[in-house]
Amino acid sequence: MYSNLKITRVEESRLGKIDLDNITFGTLYTDHMFVCDYKDGAWQTPEIVPYQPIMMEPSARVFHYGQAAFEGMKAYKDEQGDVWLFRPEENWRRINFSSRRLAMPEFPKEYFMEGLETLIDIDRDWVVPGRGNSLYIRPFIFASEAGVSAAPATEYKFMIICTPVQAYYKGGEVKVKISDYYSRAANGGVGATKAAGNYAASFHPTNKVKEEGYQQIIWTNSTHEYLEEAGTMNVFFRIGDTLLTAPTDDRILDGVTRKSIIKLAERDGLHVDVRKVGVDEVISASRDERLMEVFGTGTAAVVVPITGIGHMDYHYDLPKLEEPYSIKLKNQLLDIQYNAAEDPFEWRYKVDRK
Ligand code: COI
């Protein structure tokens, strides 16, 4: 052990009392959680403890200045009952990228990997087998220090909680509206991070498009000329036989699913063009029947076909294809995640039994 991780187990698991066949995303949590405090300039001894509420001062800086960031990752159970993570170091790297941008301390890799693996091992019975089931893992960090002066905190908590999940979007597909007013991110801003506030700022615009029958927004750049992300996902467009997706930059999240899908598509010999994608280009491709597919990618959602796009006062339906790229690539990704296929890119990470 690197960190003297302290473990306190529950006396009795709640697992037997729960109907794991009918779960709403993110509503119930496993028996244990990971927590590590930062104070006096250092991360303290990490602990795994029974899942429980935490006590906070009302003046804790996270409530006032939003110093908080999170990650999303998943664990999968294969047919032999072994449990696997998917590219976990990418999440460690990215939460520290988010932390740096929000003036929070970075979390050591050894603490992250050891805490994560031990937690998932202890709660491995919560990883439900079968395609479509997984354990969603939520690492997060926030400013816990009391005090309302607007300055970075000197005390933080890094935690990991886990929730058994099925599909993120009921029905597995969405309709989206292209934003022509609201923006999610700006050059030099925090759009590329998983700052909690990015998601808070998206709720009001998303509620507005929901009133029009859309589930999510396609976020655009500040002039609303280029398509950037779809709701909580990165977004791909297939025009003819070419897959297009925006390059990651200050405004766009470097999605782990996004970059995995790009690799799988390239391996399949598909033409992937990572470049700015114009609103006009996509709308005119739809009018000319060259827009074949649009899909979102993300850890929670995996790969979600977009069946229709709204822009201004118009709605464009996507064609129904026999063999969409989205489903083919999604299945290839899931095969790797569930240990049902070779792993040529070495993305899988086995959670050993201790
Ligand atoms: C994820 O895909 O893991 C995300 O972070 C989206 C989340 C807001 C559910």
Side-chain angles (χ1 to χ4, degrees), residues 149-191:
S149 64
T154 59
E155 292 175 12
Y156 296 86
K157 274 188 189 300
F158 190 104
M159 300 184 64
I160 307 178
I161 55 174
C162 306
T163 169
V165 295
Q166 293 166 332
Y168 188 68
Y169 290 108
K170 289 236 153 24
E173 48 186 43
V174 289
K175 283 192 284 175
V176 296
K177 176 110 198 233
I178 296 175
S179 182
D180 57 12
Y181 178 72
Y182 291 105
S183 292
R184 179 190 163 275
N187 291 339
V190 295

Coordinates of all heavy atoms in Angstrom, one line a residue, residues 149-191:
S149 N -14.5 34.4 2.2 CA -13.7 35.3 1.3 C -13.4 34.6 0.0 O -13.2 33.4 0.0 CB -12.4 35.7 2.0 OG -11.6 34.6 2.2
A150 N -13.5 35.4 -1.1 CA -13.4 34.8 -2.4 C -11.9 34.5 -2.8 O -11.2 35.3 -3.4 CB -14.0 35.7 -3.4
A151 N -11.5 33.3 -2.3 CA -10.1 32.9 -2.5 C -10.0 31.4 -2.5 O -10.9 30.8 -1.9 CB -9.2 33.5 -1.4
P152 N -9.0 30.8 -3.1 CA -9.0 29.3 -3.1 C -8.9 28.8 -1.7 O -8.3 29.5 -0.8 CB -7.7 29.0 -3.8 CG -7.2 30.2 -4.5 CD -7.9 31.4 -3.9
A153 N -9.6 27.7 -1.4 CA -9.6 27.1 -0.1 C -8.2 26.5 0.2 O -7.4 26.3 -0.6 CB -10.7 26.0 0.0
T154 N -8.0 26.3 1.5 CA -6.8 25.6 1.9 C -7.2 24.1 2.4 O -6.3 23.4 2.7 CB -6.1 26.3 3.1 OG1 -7.0 26.4 4.2 CG2 -5.6 27.7 2.7
E155 N -8.5 23.8 2.4 CA -8.9 22.5 2.7 C -9.9 21.9 1.7 O -10.8 22.7 1.2 CB -9.6 22.5 4.1 CG -8.6 22.8 5.2 CD -9.2 22.9 6.6 OE1 -10.4 22.5 6.7 OE2 -8.5 23.4 7.5
Y156 N -9.7 20.7 1.3 CA -10.5 20.0 0.3 C -10.8 18.6 0.7 O -10.1 18.0 1.6 CB -9.7 20.0 -1.0 CG -9.4 21.3 -1.6 CD1 -8.3 22.0 -1.2 CD2 -10.3 21.9 -2.5 CE1 -8.0 23.3 -1.7 CE2 -10.0 23.2 -3.0 CZ -8.9 23.9 -2.5 OH -8.6 25.2 -3.0
K157 N -11.8 18.0 0.0 CA -12.1 16.6 0.2 C -12.1 16.0 -1.2 O -12.6 16.6 -2.2 CB -13.5 16.4 0.7 CG -13.6 16.4 2.3 CD -14.9 15.9 2.7 CE -15.1 16.1 4.2 NZ -14.1 15.4 5.0
F158 N -11.4 14.8 -1.3 CA -11.5 14.0 -2.6 C -12.2 12.8 -2.2 O -11.9 12.1 -1.3 CB -10.1 13.7 -3.0 CG -10.0 13.1 -4.4 CD1 -9.6 13.8 -5.5 CD2 -10.4 11.8 -4.6 CE1 -9.6 13.3 -6.8 CE2 -10.4 11.2 -5.9 CZ -10.0 12.0 -7.0
M159 N -13.3 12.5 -2.9 CA -14.1 11.4 -2.6 C -14.4 10.5 -3.9 O -14.4 11.0 -5.0 CB -15.5 11.8 -2.0 CG -15.3 12.6 -0.7 SD -16.8 13.1 0.1 CE -17.5 11.5 0.5
I160 N -14.8 9.3 -3.6 CA -15.3 8.4 -4.7 C -16.5 7.7 -4.2 O -16.5 7.1 -3.1 CB -14.3 7.4 -5.2 CG1 -12.9 8.0 -5.5 CG2 -14.8 6.6 -6.4 CD1 -11.8 7.0 -6.0
I161 N -17.6 7.9 -4.9 CA -18.8 7.1 -4.6 C -19.2 6.3 -5.9 O -18.8 6.6 -7.0 CB -20.0 8.0 -4.2 CG1 -20.3 9.1 -5.3 CG2 -19.7 8.7 -2.8 CD1 -21.5 10.0 -5.0
C162 N -20.0 5.3 -5.7 CA -20.4 4.4 -6.8 C -21.8 4.1 -6.8 O -22.4 3.8 -5.8 CB -19.6 3.1 -6.7 SG -17.9 3.2 -6.5
T163 N -22.4 4.0 -8.0 CA -23.8 3.7 -8.2 C -24.1 2.7 -9.3 O -23.6 3.0 -10.4 CB -24.6 5.1 -8.4 OG1 -25.9 4.8 -8.8 CG2 -23.9 5.9 -9.4
P164 N -24.8 1.7 -9.0 CA -25.1 0.7 -10.1 C -26.0 1.4 -11.1 O -27.0 2.0 -10.7 CB -25.8 -0.5 -9.4 CG -26.1 0.0 -8.1 CD -25.4 1.2 -7.8
V165 N -25.7 1.2 -12.4 CA -26.6 1.9 -13.4 C -26.9 1.0 -14.6 O -26.3 0.0 -14.9 CB -25.8 3.2 -14.0 CG1 -25.7 4.2 -12.9 CG2 -24.5 2.8 -14.6
Q166 N -27.9 1.5 -15.3 CA -28.3 0.9 -16.7 C -28.2 2.1 -17.6 O -27.3 2.9 -17.5 CB -29.6 0.3 -16.6 CG -29.6 -1.0 -15.7 CD -30.9 -1.5 -15.2 OE1 -31.9 -0.8 -15.2 NE2 -31.0 -2.8 -15.0
A167 N -29.1 2.1 -18.6 CA -28.9 3.2 -19.7 C -29.1 4.6 -19.0 O -29.9 4.8 -18.2 CB -30.0 3.0 -20.7
Y168 N -28.3 5.5 -19.5 CA -28.4 6.9 -19.1 C -29.7 7.6 -19.7 O -30.4 8.2 -19.0 CB -27.2 7.7 -19.4 CG -27.1 9.1 -18.8 CD1 -27.0 9.2 -17.4 CD2 -27.2 10.2 -19.6 CE1 -27.0 10.5 -16.9 CE2 -27.2 11.5 -19.0 CZ -27.1 11.6 -17.6 OH -27.0 12.8 -17.1
Y169 N -29.9 7.4 -21.0 CA -31.1 7.9 -21.6 C -32.0 6.8 -21.9 O -31.7 5.8 -22.6 CB -30.7 8.6 -23.0 CG -29.9 9.8 -22.8 CD1 -28.6 9.9 -23.1 CD2 -30.6 11.0 -22.3 CE1 -27.9 11.1 -23.0 CE2 -29.9 12.2 -22.2 CZ -28.5 12.2 -22.5 OH -27.8 13.4 -22.3
K170 N -33.2 6.9 -21.2 CA -34.2 5.9 -21.4 C -34.6 5.8 -22.9 O -34.8 6.9 -23.6 CB -35.5 6.2 -20.6 CG -35.3 6.1 -19.1 CD -36.3 5.1 -18.5 CE -35.9 4.4 -17.3 NZ -34.9 4.9 -16.4
G171 N -34.6 4.6 -23.5 CA -34.9 4.5 -24.9 C -33.6 4.5 -25.8 O -33.7 4.2 -27.0
G172 N -32.5 5.0 -25.2 CA -31.2 4.9 -25.9 C -31.0 5.9 -27.0 O -30.1 5.7 -27.8
E173 N -31.9 6.9 -27.2 CA -31.7 7.9 -28.3 C -32.2 9.2 -27.8 O -33.1 9.3 -26.9 CB -32.3 7.4 -29.6 CG -33.7 6.9 -29.5 CD -34.3 6.3 -30.8 OE1 -33.5 5.5 -31.4 OE2 -35.4 6.6 -31.1
V174 N -31.8 10.3 -28.5 CA -32.2 11.6 -28.1 C -32.4 12.5 -29.3 O -31.9 12.2 -30.4 CB -31.2 12.3 -27.1 CG1 -31.1 11.7 -25.8 CG2 -29.8 12.4 -27.8
K175 N -33.2 13.6 -29.0 CA -33.4 14.6 -30.0 C -32.7 15.9 -29.4 O -32.8 16.1 -28.2 CB -34.8 14.9 -30.3 CG -35.5 13.9 -31.2 CD -36.8 14.4 -31.7 CE -37.8 14.2 -30.6 NZ -39.2 14.7 -30.9
V176 N -32.0 16.6 -30.2 CA -31.2 17.8 -29.7 C -31.5 19.0 -30.4 O -31.9 19.0 -31.6 CB -29.7 17.5 -29.7 CG1 -29.3 16.3 -28.9 CG2 -29.3 17.3 -31.2
K177 N -31.4 20.2 -29.7 CA -31.6 21.5 -30.3 C -30.3 22.2 -30.4 O -29.6 22.3 -29.3 CB -32.7 22.2 -29.5 CG -32.9 23.6 -30.0 CD -34.3 23.8 -30.6 CE -34.4 25.0 -31.5 NZ -35.5 25.9 -31.1
I178 N -30.0 22.8 -31.5 CA -28.7 23.5 -31.6 C -28.9 24.9 -30.9 O -29.8 25.6 -31.2 CB -28.3 23.7 -33.1 CG1 -28.0 22.4 -33.7 CG2 -27.1 24.7 -33.2 CD1 -27.8 22.4 -35.2
S179 N -27.9 25.2 -30.0 CA -28.1 26.5 -29.3 C -27.8 27.7 -30.2 O -26.7 27.7 -30.9 CB -27.1 26.5 -28.1 OG -27.3 27.7 -27.4
D180 N -28.7 28.6 -30.3 CA -28.4 29.9 -31.0 C -28.4 31.1 -30.1 O -28.4 32.2 -30.5 CB -29.4 30.1 -32.1 CG -30.9 30.1 -31.6 OD1 -31.0 30.2 -30.4 OD2 -31.8 30.0 -32.4
Y181 N -28.3 30.8 -28.8 CA -28.2 31.9 -27.8 C -27.3 31.6 -26.7 O -26.3 32.3 -26.5 CB -29.6 32.2 -27.3 CG -29.6 33.3 -26.2 CD1 -29.3 34.7 -26.6 CD2 -29.7 33.0 -24.9 CE1 -29.2 35.7 -25.6 CE2 -29.6 34.1 -23.9 CZ -29.3 35.3 -24.3 OH -29.2 36.3 -23.4
Y182 N -27.6 30.5 -25.9 CA -26.8 30.2 -24.7 C -25.4 29.6 -25.2 O -25.3 28.9 -26.2 CB -27.5 29.2 -23.8 CG -28.7 29.8 -23.2 CD1 -30.0 29.5 -23.6 CD2 -28.5 30.7 -22.1 CE1 -31.1 30.1 -23.0 CE2 -29.6 31.3 -21.5 CZ -30.9 30.9 -21.9 OH -32.0 31.5 -21.3
S183 N -24.4 29.8 -24.3 CA -23.1 29.2 -24.5 C -22.7 28.4 -23.3 O -23.1 28.8 -22.2 CB -22.0 30.2 -24.8 OG -22.2 30.8 -26.0
R184 N -22.0 27.3 -23.5 CA -21.6 26.5 -22.4 C -20.2 26.8 -21.9 O -19.8 26.7 -20.8 CB -21.6 25.0 -22.9 CG -21.1 24.0 -21.9 CD -21.0 22.6 -22.5 NE -20.2 21.8 -21.6 CZ -18.8 21.8 -21.6 NH1 -18.2 22.5 -22.4 NH2 -18.2 21.1 -20.7
A185 N -19.4 27.4 -22.9 CA -18.0 27.5 -22.6 C -17.4 28.7 -23.4 O -18.0 29.1 -24.4 CB -17.3 26.2 -23.0
A186 N -16.2 29.1 -23.0 CA -15.6 30.3 -23.7 C -14.1 30.0 -23.9 O -13.6 29.2 -23.1 CB -15.8 31.5 -22.9
N187 N -13.5 30.6 -24.8 CA -12.0 30.5 -24.9 C -11.4 31.0 -23.6 O -11.8 32.0 -23.1 CB -11.5 31.4 -26.1 CG -11.9 30.9 -27.4 OD1 -12.3 29.8 -27.6 ND2 -11.9 31.8 -28.4
G188 N -10.4 30.3 -23.1 CA -9.8 30.7 -21.9 C -10.6 30.3 -20.7 O -10.2 30.6 -19.5
G189 N -11.8 29.7 -20.9 CA -12.7 29.4 -19.7 C -12.4 28.0 -19.2 O -11.3 27.4 -19.3
V190 N -13.5 27.4 -18.7 CA -13.4 26.1 -18.0 C -14.1 25.0 -18.7 O -14.3 23.9 -18.2 CB -13.8 26.2 -16.5 CG1 -12.9 27.1 -15.7 CG2 -15.3 26.6 -16.4
G191 N -14.5 25.2 -20.0 CA -15.3 24.3 -20.7 C -14.7 22.9 -20.9 O -15.3 21.9 -20.9

